[in-house]
Amino acid sequence: MTIDWLQMLFGRLSLDALPSDIVTIGGAAMGVFGLLFIVGLITVTKRWRWLWRTWLTSLDPKKIGVMYIIVSGVMLLRGLADVVMLRAQQALFATGMDSPIGSDLFQQVFSAHGTIMIFFVAMGVIFGLINLIVPLQIGARDVAFPLLNSISFWLFFAGMALMNVSLIIGEFSAAGWLAYPPLSTLEYSPGTGVDYWIWALQIAGIGSLLSGVNFLVTIFTMRRKGMTLMKMPIFVWSVVGSMALVVFAFPILTATLGMLTLDRTLDTNFFTSDMGGNPMMYVNLIWAWGHPEVYILILPAFGAFSEIVPVFSRKRLFGYTSMVWAIMAITVLSFTVWLHHFFTMGAGANVNAFFGIMTMIIAVPTGVKVFNWLFTMFRGRISFKTPMLWFMGFIVTFTIGGVTGVLMAVPGIDFQVHNSLFLVAHFHNMIIGGVLFGAFAALAYWWPKFTGFRLHEGLGVAAFWSWLVGFVLAFAPLYILGLMGAVRRLDSYDASLGWQGLFVVAGVGVTFILLGVFFQVLQLAYSIWKRKELACDHDPWNGRTLEWATSTPVAEYNFATMEAVNDRDEYWETKYSRKRRNHPKYSDVLVPKNSGFGVYVSSAVVVMGFAIVWHMWLIAAIALIVTIVLAICVGLRENVERVITAKQVAESEKKLWKGAGA
Amino acid sequence: MSSVAETPEQKHLLSKTTIGFWLYLMTDCLLFATLFATFAVLRGATAGGPDGAEIYEMPVVLAETIILLTSSFTCGMALLGMMAKNTKQVLWSLVATFLLGLAFVVIEVAEFAKLIAEGHGPQASAFLSAFFTLVGTHGLHVSVGLLWLIIIGVLIWKRGLTSKLTRSLTLFALFWHFLDLIWIFVFTVVYLMGVVV
Amino acid sequence: MTVSHYVTGFILSLALTLMAYYVAVYHPTHSLVLLILVVLAITQLAVQLLYFLHLGEEVGPKLKQLSFWFMATSLIIIVVGSVWIMSNLNERMMHFSPQEKTEYMLREYDKGF
């Protein structure tokens, strides 16, 4: 038997893999030039060593959190660029005019839009916030496993990188964001697109899984003395729910993607139509993961709002206990509703009725939360700063989304509107109005804690209103179009249907959203430029929880001293009852040393994923071995911490609190 | 486990890593649950090929089961030796565990090779895809465990029972017992129920 | 955690394994055989959890037990739910040929979410 070494080395990769149509070339060129520009900038300013030491190899969760958020910010721009193409196609070209976006490319673009927005924007920003806030809110100095945390981030990064490589080399999946077979099987998608999709998700998913374990252990074993479970800030509770779902739902994704991989590479017959395979099983499994995933994203957003509302209403959170129970109820119930994603696939009335009722039940704890927020605001002294504006926008859009959701939980109604733009409008209500607005509110709220200056308020308000108006304009027409019968993923329709006007309105909405994003970018740039004028102290919003107690910017060790916690709103209580001690007694602090393993593992895994996508088996095998060796090295690491002495802590505290009136 | 970790920091680290690893095992349970669910759904989908009763060699499977169970027991002996600070007992128990685990993997590979040679490979039907994937994923876990076992064994032999190595050994024992637990269900659901129905 | 602890667990597990094997291989047509197998497997699960994985010996907040029960709940929901849904679907869609199945699922593919 002879082995074709060239085949082992290059697999199915050839020059044909480079993009050939004008739109993809444009996208690829933008990606490549953007990357080259950044690399050039770093080289010219001689920042490589600095970048490596202070960011890439850092195990400080605050820095890892910032890196998560930067990556998801960039990905948000790419996801938006995708959606501009989609809506432009539907508003301008879909009625028969010649379009630069062909049908196949259209399918690729919306698959990429969904995948990017869920996995690399929403997940990224959620993990970024968790990294930034959770250790501070529980009064800890670090997470349970700092290196694992870095590796998780770099796996997320690796998945993102692989996803974007598909823009330049090869193609992306054209099978929708969940790649239902048989469309995603070899027979209908013989190219590399679905493989890119699988491996980008698989790698990022394993990173999320490890993060989930890490943060659950952090929250359960590293809380400050005295912080019992029922004294934890509600954001931390929401993270408990979200991470529990990550830990218990993501393995389903891993296994399901694994089986799809086997179908595509080893010709097994899990989800094929012949040889006994059953594509419906894939749909069942992917939603058994997919529905909890929705709550993984939304719970931390709920948590962030539960922090923001009390602070800007100057009141305690109303119904803390019911909030905790609501979160836990949502966590468990989210495992019992997945069939509502495929009511129409053919299950009988009993099955549909059961899952329909469960879906309506899960709306109850969510309703409890909405009322808790409203009662917190009731008779509070509300100040409408940007975080609070985002909350107001959220409560309206999210409630509308919730109501349309319960509507579709009735199987009979779902039979009418399934597969339509009505559904698309519903879940964008939840994900933009819920997750994204939550993330924007959280970023505006916690930004000054980490930078020492506020974001410019006027530009923030402008961004909010542009987003809100854009959101309504972009999605209200979709509800109507959905009821008129417009299906999702539509690249052309007959002009006589009279849909074009509404699509144009939706397109105008997208323009407003783009304006909102423009204001946000402007706000960032302007605030950084004017940071001296916007400077603030460590507690700009009159906060309640522990993260506001420590200095700004936050020291590497988070807290200089570790006093026991007595109250739910610990900082609020101590602020007004106890004076800050003038001569605290410091002790030595252990912090993790930097480590490059995250970057190494990520590089090896990207190479492995790429090689498997292109069937370059030799390189894949080598990269797999390198990954295993790296994992062993991680396990064998010794001497992983360094000491910050009490004296250094004292000096750093003096510097950090200077000018803060201490 | 209190006799292993001496200082409060070591104790905290041990409980942190144990809980973290336990949570990982829970995620692994759900990974297997997904494969079990798939197997349960596809077990009848033989596409005209053989069903379980026709291809399983039950005495061999029973032998595999007893071997893995015994290895779980010897692994427990290693843990007891660790707590008694008896390096010799730890090493011999680990050698026994390794040999038993290796025997298990070898038997499984031989079983797979025979099925593939007879034309009953994972491509032949949905049932066989699910069978190979479920049993093979368990086998893969056992193989990873063997690699881990070699590393721990060699390091304990070279360095003795340091606090880091006792921590690793504690986690390894959890992992190994866990794999035996999964096998109970592979044995019952795949093999025994396969010959029953 | 003592030797006798492990020996007890080992012997019990061995006995349960052999019983299950005996029932399945020598009485495969008995009407209660599936039930017996399930009961034996769950008994052995409990034995190994207690004697090998020491699930009951945790002190302080019982995180291992808590996560185990949460995992068990979600596991049962997913496995039982999947089998229920899929058997229902199989029953109703049994008349499909592979070709029909393919066409049906290609139409199905964008109904989700």
Side-chain angles (χ1 to χ4, degrees), chain A residues 254-271:
Chain A
T254 309
T256 312
L257 290 178
M259 289 187 274
L260 188 63
T261 313
L262 290 176
D263 268 6
R264 288 181 60 86
T265 46
L266 288 182
D267 290 324
T268 55
N269 290 297
F270 288 104
F271 309 127

PDB file of all heavy atoms in Angstrom, chain A residues 254-271:
ATOM      1  N   THR A 254     -21.168  19.122  22.225  1.00  0.00           N
ATOM      2  CA  THR A 254     -19.915  18.448  21.884  1.00  0.00           C
ATOM      3  C   THR A 254     -20.189  17.092  21.252  1.00  0.00           C
ATOM      4  O   THR A 254     -19.634  16.753  20.203  1.00  0.00           O
ATOM      5  CB  THR A 254     -19.071  18.271  23.154  1.00  0.00           C
ATOM      6  OG1 THR A 254     -18.977  19.524  23.825  1.00  0.00           O
ATOM      7  CG2 THR A 254     -17.687  17.757  22.835  1.00  0.00           C
ATOM      8  N   ALA A 255     -21.072  16.316  21.892  1.00  0.00           N
ATOM      9  CA  ALA A 255     -21.350  14.968  21.383  1.00  0.00           C
ATOM     10  C   ALA A 255     -22.051  15.030  20.025  1.00  0.00           C
ATOM     11  O   ALA A 255     -21.721  14.276  19.109  1.00  0.00           O
ATOM     12  CB  ALA A 255     -22.204  14.201  22.390  1.00  0.00           C
ATOM     13  N   THR A 256     -23.005  15.956  19.900  1.00  0.00           N
ATOM     14  CA  THR A 256     -23.763  16.024  18.650  1.00  0.00           C
ATOM     15  C   THR A 256     -22.875  16.439  17.490  1.00  0.00           C
ATOM     16  O   THR A 256     -22.909  15.847  16.410  1.00  0.00           O
ATOM     17  CB  THR A 256     -24.937  17.009  18.808  1.00  0.00           C
ATOM     18  OG1 THR A 256     -25.617  16.696  20.016  1.00  0.00           O
ATOM     19  CG2 THR A 256     -25.883  16.918  17.653  1.00  0.00           C
ATOM     20  N   LEU A 257     -22.048  17.485  17.730  1.00  0.00           N
ATOM     21  CA  LEU A 257     -21.110  17.891  16.682  1.00  0.00           C
ATOM     22  C   LEU A 257     -20.149  16.757  16.367  1.00  0.00           C
ATOM     23  O   LEU A 257     -19.768  16.539  15.210  1.00  0.00           O
ATOM     24  CB  LEU A 257     -20.323  19.121  17.125  1.00  0.00           C
ATOM     25  CG  LEU A 257     -21.083  20.439  17.219  1.00  0.00           C
ATOM     26  CD1 LEU A 257     -20.155  21.523  17.722  1.00  0.00           C
ATOM     27  CD2 LEU A 257     -21.644  20.822  15.880  1.00  0.00           C
ATOM     28  N   GLY A 258     -19.761  16.018  17.403  1.00  0.00           N
ATOM     29  CA  GLY A 258     -18.860  14.880  17.196  1.00  0.00           C
ATOM     30  C   GLY A 258     -19.481  13.869  16.251  1.00  0.00           C
ATOM     31  O   GLY A 258     -18.839  13.380  15.319  1.00  0.00           O
ATOM     32  N   MET A 259     -20.765  13.582  16.459  1.00  0.00           N
ATOM     33  CA  MET A 259     -21.420  12.589  15.598  1.00  0.00           C
ATOM     34  C   MET A 259     -21.579  13.112  14.173  1.00  0.00           C
ATOM     35  O   MET A 259     -21.410  12.364  13.209  1.00  0.00           O
ATOM     36  CB  MET A 259     -22.775  12.201  16.190  1.00  0.00           C
ATOM     37  CG  MET A 259     -22.620  11.356  17.440  1.00  0.00           C
ATOM     38  SD  MET A 259     -24.167  10.703  18.073  1.00  0.00           S
ATOM     39  CE  MET A 259     -24.730  12.028  19.094  1.00  0.00           C
ATOM     40  N   LEU A 260     -21.857  14.419  14.051  1.00  0.00           N
ATOM     41  CA  LEU A 260     -21.953  14.987  12.697  1.00  0.00           C
ATOM     42  C   LEU A 260     -20.588  14.910  11.995  1.00  0.00           C
ATOM     43  O   LEU A 260     -20.501  14.613  10.800  1.00  0.00           O
ATOM     44  CB  LEU A 260     -22.440  16.436  12.773  1.00  0.00           C
ATOM     45  CG  LEU A 260     -22.781  17.099  11.443  1.00  0.00           C
ATOM     46  CD1 LEU A 260     -23.928  16.385  10.764  1.00  0.00           C
ATOM     47  CD2 LEU A 260     -23.152  18.569  11.641  1.00  0.00           C
ATOM     48  N   THR A 261     -19.529  15.157  12.769  1.00  0.00           N
ATOM     49  CA  THR A 261     -18.183  15.025  12.214  1.00  0.00           C
ATOM     50  C   THR A 261     -17.939  13.614  11.710  1.00  0.00           C
ATOM     51  O   THR A 261     -17.402  13.412  10.613  1.00  0.00           O
ATOM     52  CB  THR A 261     -17.123  15.343  13.291  1.00  0.00           C
ATOM     53  OG1 THR A 261     -17.498  16.530  13.958  1.00  0.00           O
ATOM     54  CG2 THR A 261     -15.749  15.489  12.688  1.00  0.00           C
ATOM     55  N   LEU A 262     -18.333  12.625  12.526  1.00  0.00           N
ATOM     56  CA  LEU A 262     -18.132  11.231  12.105  1.00  0.00           C
ATOM     57  C   LEU A 262     -18.914  10.945  10.829  1.00  0.00           C
ATOM     58  O   LEU A 262     -18.408  10.292   9.920  1.00  0.00           O
ATOM     59  CB  LEU A 262     -18.573  10.277  13.212  1.00  0.00           C
ATOM     60  CG  LEU A 262     -17.690  10.260  14.460  1.00  0.00           C
ATOM     61  CD1 LEU A 262     -18.282   9.341  15.514  1.00  0.00           C
ATOM     62  CD2 LEU A 262     -16.279   9.824  14.111  1.00  0.00           C
ATOM     63  N   ASP A 263     -20.142  11.460  10.757  1.00  0.00           N
ATOM     64  CA  ASP A 263     -20.931  11.274   9.535  1.00  0.00           C
ATOM     65  C   ASP A 263     -20.211  11.844   8.327  1.00  0.00           C
ATOM     66  O   ASP A 263     -20.248  11.289   7.234  1.00  0.00           O
ATOM     67  CB  ASP A 263     -22.290  11.977   9.683  1.00  0.00           C
ATOM     68  CG  ASP A 263     -23.352  11.031  10.223  1.00  0.00           C
ATOM     69  OD1 ASP A 263     -22.993   9.896  10.577  1.00  0.00           O
ATOM     70  OD2 ASP A 263     -24.520  11.437  10.298  1.00  0.00           O
ATOM     71  N   ARG A 264     -19.541  12.984   8.536  1.00  0.00           N
ATOM     72  CA  ARG A 264     -18.931  13.661   7.388  1.00  0.00           C
ATOM     73  C   ARG A 264     -17.553  13.149   7.045  1.00  0.00           C
ATOM     74  O   ARG A 264     -17.105  13.300   5.912  1.00  0.00           O
ATOM     75  CB  ARG A 264     -18.869  15.171   7.639  1.00  0.00           C
ATOM     76  CG  ARG A 264     -20.228  15.862   7.577  1.00  0.00           C
ATOM     77  CD  ARG A 264     -20.081  17.345   7.804  1.00  0.00           C
ATOM     78  NE  ARG A 264     -19.227  17.967   6.810  1.00  0.00           N
ATOM     79  CZ  ARG A 264     -19.665  18.398   5.624  1.00  0.00           C
ATOM     80  NH1 ARG A 264     -20.930  18.303   5.320  1.00  0.00           N
ATOM     81  NH2 ARG A 264     -18.818  18.946   4.772  1.00  0.00           N
ATOM     82  N   THR A 265     -16.852  12.554   8.021  1.00  0.00           N
ATOM     83  CA  THR A 265     -15.487  12.116   7.711  1.00  0.00           C
ATOM     84  C   THR A 265     -15.345  10.606   7.643  1.00  0.00           C
ATOM     85  O   THR A 265     -14.555  10.091   6.866  1.00  0.00           O
ATOM     86  CB  THR A 265     -14.483  12.661   8.744  1.00  0.00           C
ATOM     87  OG1 THR A 265     -15.017  12.446  10.037  1.00  0.00           O
ATOM     88  CG2 THR A 265     -14.215  14.131   8.526  1.00  0.00           C
ATOM     89  N   LEU A 266     -16.095   9.871   8.484  1.00  0.00           N
ATOM     90  CA  LEU A 266     -15.926   8.421   8.485  1.00  0.00           C
ATOM     91  C   LEU A 266     -17.110   7.697   7.857  1.00  0.00           C
ATOM     92  O   LEU A 266     -17.217   6.475   7.962  1.00  0.00           O
ATOM     93  CB  LEU A 266     -15.729   7.914   9.921  1.00  0.00           C
ATOM     94  CG  LEU A 266     -14.395   8.242  10.580  1.00  0.00           C
ATOM     95  CD1 LEU A 266     -14.332   7.625  11.966  1.00  0.00           C
ATOM     96  CD2 LEU A 266     -13.236   7.724   9.727  1.00  0.00           C
ATOM     97  N   ASP A 267     -18.046   8.454   7.269  1.00  0.00           N
ATOM     98  CA  ASP A 267     -19.200   7.843   6.614  1.00  0.00           C
ATOM     99  C   ASP A 267     -20.061   7.020   7.551  1.00  0.00           C
ATOM    100  O   ASP A 267     -20.656   6.012   7.138  1.00  0.00           O
ATOM    101  CB  ASP A 267     -18.759   6.939   5.442  1.00  0.00           C
ATOM    102  CG  ASP A 267     -18.223   7.756   4.294  1.00  0.00           C
ATOM    103  OD1 ASP A 267     -18.771   8.842   4.081  1.00  0.00           O
ATOM    104  OD2 ASP A 267     -17.258   7.308   3.648  1.00  0.00           O
ATOM    105  N   THR A 268     -20.137   7.404   8.805  1.00  0.00           N
ATOM    106  CA  THR A 268     -21.087   6.722   9.676  1.00  0.00           C
ATOM    107  C   THR A 268     -22.496   7.173   9.305  1.00  0.00           C
ATOM    108  O   THR A 268     -22.669   8.052   8.457  1.00  0.00           O
ATOM    109  CB  THR A 268     -20.818   7.058  11.151  1.00  0.00           C
ATOM    110  OG1 THR A 268     -20.845   8.474  11.297  1.00  0.00           O
ATOM    111  CG2 THR A 268     -19.495   6.516  11.609  1.00  0.00           C
ATOM    112  N   ASN A 269     -23.483   6.593   9.959  1.00  0.00           N
ATOM    113  CA  ASN A 269     -24.861   6.856   9.542  1.00  0.00           C
ATOM    114  C   ASN A 269     -25.761   7.291  10.683  1.00  0.00           C
ATOM    115  O   ASN A 269     -26.838   6.769  10.876  1.00  0.00           O
ATOM    116  CB  ASN A 269     -25.447   5.605   8.883  1.00  0.00           C
ATOM    117  CG  ASN A 269     -24.803   5.348   7.558  1.00  0.00           C
ATOM    118  OD1 ASN A 269     -24.913   6.154   6.644  1.00  0.00           O
ATOM    119  ND2 ASN A 269     -24.088   4.250   7.474  1.00  0.00           N
ATOM    120  N   PHE A 270     -25.305   8.277  11.467  1.00  0.00           N
ATOM    121  CA  PHE A 270     -26.173   8.781  12.530  1.00  0.00           C
ATOM    122  C   PHE A 270     -27.346   9.568  11.951  1.00  0.00           C
ATOM    123  O   PHE A 270     -28.491   9.328  12.281  1.00  0.00           O
ATOM    124  CB  PHE A 270     -25.393   9.712  13.476  1.00  0.00           C
ATOM    125  CG  PHE A 270     -24.432   8.992  14.344  1.00  0.00           C
ATOM    126  CD1 PHE A 270     -23.077   9.030  14.076  1.00  0.00           C
ATOM    127  CD2 PHE A 270     -24.875   8.284  15.443  1.00  0.00           C
ATOM    128  CE1 PHE A 270     -22.181   8.374  14.889  1.00  0.00           C
ATOM    129  CE2 PHE A 270     -23.991   7.628  16.271  1.00  0.00           C
ATOM    130  CZ  PHE A 270     -22.637   7.674  15.983  1.00  0.00           C
ATOM    131  N   PHE A 271     -27.010  10.545  11.125  1.00  0.00           N
ATOM    132  CA  PHE A 271     -28.021  11.521  10.712  1.00  0.00           C
ATOM    133  C   PHE A 271     -28.288  11.473   9.210  1.00  0.00           C
ATOM    134  O   PHE A 271     -28.848  12.392   8.644  1.00  0.00           O
ATOM    135  CB  PHE A 271     -27.588  12.930  11.123  1.00  0.00           C
ATOM    136  CG  PHE A 271     -27.201  13.031  12.574  1.00  0.00           C
ATOM    137  CD1 PHE A 271     -25.977  13.561  12.955  1.00  0.00           C
ATOM    138  CD2 PHE A 271     -28.069  12.583  13.568  1.00  0.00           C
ATOM    139  CE1 PHE A 271     -25.633  13.646  14.287  1.00  0.00           C
ATOM    140  CE2 PHE A 271     -27.728  12.657  14.902  1.00  0.00           C
ATOM    141  CZ  PHE A 271     -26.503  13.195  15.265  1.00  0.00           C
TER     142      PHE A 271
END
